Amino acid sequence: LIQMASVTGAYGITFIVILANFMLFEFWMWMRRKVLKTSLVLMPAGMALLLLVVDFGYRELRNAEKTPAAQSEPVKLAAIQPYIPQEQKWDPAYYQMITRRLRALTLEAAGSKPAMVVWPETSVPGELRNESQVKTFVQNLAKEAGVPLLVGTQDSTGNPPIYYNGAALVDPDKGILTMHHKLHLV
């Protein structure tokens, strides 16, 4: 059923979970001999059946479009780990050291010709979208490496600012393509 997430996102999966729980509740009520109205019983069951048919049909259509070669080709990614202590990460005195380390590790990883180089959460020493020095550094590094970078960065929006842990996809030619904020801080 998770295949639906590519179309409906987290909301569709959440809906399925809620629907399944409602059906369990109906079963529990039936076991206690407290039957709900027929419309309340048939509606979730019909929706669940319809969702199953749509989901399995969608999955089969997606699988039919794929060739055997496309299904078996792995995607080569490279992940780096700069190991920057937290007390240094946001200290401007360490900015040059952090960017040198990120640059060296990224170029080393790009040497293996991956499809993308992935950085850890909040690895960028600043806000990628809101600080021009940081933005220039990351975009130039993506160009130099010749591969897209998926970088972890702090991001803020609004006034007063609301801060997020984010991930940005940086293309070597087009710059920042997209930004995603973490949905649930742990």
Side-chain angles (χ1 to χ4, degrees), residues 33-52:
R33 304 203 191 292
K34 293 184 179 180
V35 179
L36 300 173
K37 291 182 183 176
T38 304
S39 61
L40 286 177
V41 173
L42 294 179
M43 185 178 65
M47 288 177 70
L49 182 62
L50 179 65
L51 283 173
L52 283 173

Side-chain angles (χ1 to χ4, degrees), residues 96-111:
Q96 293 300 322
M97 181 273 297
I98 294 170
T99 55
R100 276 194 307 271
R101 188 176 294 174
L102 287 169
R103 183 179 180 280
L105 291 170
T106 300
L107 293 176
E108 180 182 345

